[in-house]
């Protein structure tokens, strides 16, 4: 299994509070991604990173920010959480530098905004 | 427009039978990749199989094969000899500009829930 750890695994918080989700990898892969999974939508890309301090927006980036200060960690922040951000969040990594490699996913974080 | 379409919200199959899960895609790129992932009820995402747009042979991985029909823009997953443990959600995904600067981003379909009956 790819060494990807997401924390926390579960979180319940209130509307308007800041939330940070962490993705930690031990594979030294350059590419990292944050997705959210909602019923009827599959997984949708929030933000991605192609190196330390190199990040960009995905399909559903509004209300989210990310940071990557070192290769192994990719943080997703909800500055002021809203109920619409209740979802399951997945981090993924990819070793694209070795060619057409698949993304490997963490176990997910279930986030509930009340 | 949907880039990845999985038209079967749910599928049922008898144990030991084969099943085909449909996936159609839309892209104007010549170079792209197609992936299938399995998500069991425990929630993790498991990579199953990959097909590159320039691959001449259909991809196979054990009991999984990908029926790739480029002209029809379809990439159906075939599971042979279904097992009870195959019951899960299955996602088709596409990576465009596979040889360029897509950064490996994936677009997912909505998924198909497969139930295997004993």
């Amino acid at each position: 299994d790819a060494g990807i750890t997401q924390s926390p695994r579960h979180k319940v918080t209130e509307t308007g509070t800041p939330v940070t989700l962490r993705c930690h990898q031990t594979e030294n892969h350059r590419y990292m991604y944050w997705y959210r999974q909602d019923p009827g939508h599959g997984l949708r890309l929030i933000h991605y990173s192609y190196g330390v301090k190199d990040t960009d927006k995905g399909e559903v980036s509004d209300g989210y920010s990310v940071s990557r200060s070192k290769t192994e960690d990719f943080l997703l922040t909800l500055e002021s959480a809203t109920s619409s951000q209740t979802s399951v969040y997945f981090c993924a990594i990819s070793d694209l530098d070795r060619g057409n490699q698949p993304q490997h996913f963490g176990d997910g974080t279930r986030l509930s905004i009340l | 427009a949907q880039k990845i379409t999985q038209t079967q919200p749910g599928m049922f199959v008898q144990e030991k039978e084969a099943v085909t899960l449909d996936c159609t895609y839309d892209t104007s790129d010549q170079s792209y990749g197609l992936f299938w992932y399995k998500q069991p009820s425990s929630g993790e995402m498991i990579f199953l199989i990959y097909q590159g747009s320039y691959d001449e042979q259909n991809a196979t991985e054990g009991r999984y094969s990908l029926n790739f029909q480029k002209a029809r823009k379809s990439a159906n997953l075939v599971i042979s000899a279904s097992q009870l443990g195959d019951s899960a959600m299955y996602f088709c995904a596409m990576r465009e500009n596979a040889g360029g600067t897509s950064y490996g981003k994936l677009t997912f379909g909505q998924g198909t829930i497969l139930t295997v009956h004993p």
Side-chain angles (χ1 to χ4, degrees), chain B residues 73-117:
Chain B
K73 293 188 175 179
S74 74
N76 299 338
L77 178 70
V78 180
I79 305 175
S80 62
S82 296
Q83 302 173 353
L84 296 178
D86 294 334
S87 293
M89 174 80 87
Y90 289 81
F91 290 101
C92 179
M94 177 173 63
R95 181 167 69 204
E96 294 176 280
N97 286 327
T101 56
S102 72
Y103 303 105
K105 295 176 288 182
L106 292 179
T107 302
F108 284 82
Q110 295 179 330
T112 296
I113 299 175
L114 176 66
T115 303
V116 181
H117 289 302

Side-chain angles (χ1 to χ4, degrees), chain A residues 31 33 35 37 40 42-43 45 48 50 90 96 100-103 105 107, chain B residues 35 37 39 43-45 47 50 91 95 98 103-106 108-110:
Chain A
Y31 298 86
Y33 313 83
Y35 294 88
Q37 182 180 14
L43 278 75
L45 182 65
Y48 62 98
Y50 45 97
F90 284 96
L96 269 186
N100 288 320
Q101 299 296 311
Q103 289 184 17
F105 287 79
D107 289 338
Chain B
F35 301 80
Y37 285 85
Q39 186 179 44
E44 69 269 30
M45 294 286 289
F47 165 69
Y50 165 79
F91 290 101
R95 181 167 69 204
Y103 303 105
K105 295 176 288 182
L106 292 179
F108 284 82
Q110 295 179 330

Side-chain angles (χ1 to χ4, degrees), chain B residues 17-72:
Chain B
E17 298 290 314
V19 63
T20 298
L21 306 183
D22 294 341
C23 173
T24 58
Y25 60 92
D26 183 26
T27 181
S28 57
D29 290 342
Q30 296 301 309
S31 178
Y32 53 89
L34 296 154
F35 301 80
W36 279 91
Y37 285 85
K38 172 184 178 181
Q39 186 179 44
S41 58
S42 49
E44 69 269 30
M45 294 286 289
I46 301 167
F47 165 69
L48 294 178
I49 195 166
Y50 165 79
Q51 179 85 42
S53 59
Y54 291 122
D55 293 343
E56 294 185 354
Q57 304 270 9
N58 284 345
T60 60
E61 289 286 348
R63 293 185 299 111
Y64 304 109
S65 61
L66 203 154
N67 184 2
F68 181 48
Q69 298 187 44
K70 196 170 181 177
R72 298 181 60 184

Side-chain angles (χ1 to χ4, degrees), chain A residues 2-7 21-27 32 34 70-75 91 93 106:
Chain A
I4 310 167
T5 304
Q6 289 186 233
S7 58
L21 308 183
R22 180 185 185 230
C23 179
H24 178 78
Q25 61 141 330
T26 58
E27 305 296 321
M32 298 184 75
W34 277 108
K70 45 188 178 177
T71 299
E72 57 265 36
D73 288 328
F74 192 30
L75 304 181
C91 172
I93 66 174

Side-chain angles (χ1 to χ4, degrees), chain A residues 41-99:
Chain A
H41 290 278
L43 278 75
R44 293 179 292 174
L45 182 65
I46 305 171
H47 280 279
Y48 62 98
S49 170
Y50 45 97
V52 172
K53 297 187 179 177
D54 291 323
T55 65
D56 206 346
K57 297 178 180 180
E59 178 189 359
V60 290
S61 60
D62 287 350
Y64 301 95
S65 63
V66 290
S67 66
R68 190 161 177 209
S69 59
K70 45 188 178 177
T71 299
E72 57 265 36
D73 288 328
F74 192 30
L75 304 181
L76 177 70
T77 297
L78 292 66
E79 302 289 350
S80 178
T82 67
S83 58
S84 65
Q85 293 175 311
T86 292
S87 188
V88 179
Y89 291 85
F90 284 96
C91 172
I93 66 174
S94 182
D95 192 14
L96 269 186
D97 293 328
R98 286 203 304 118

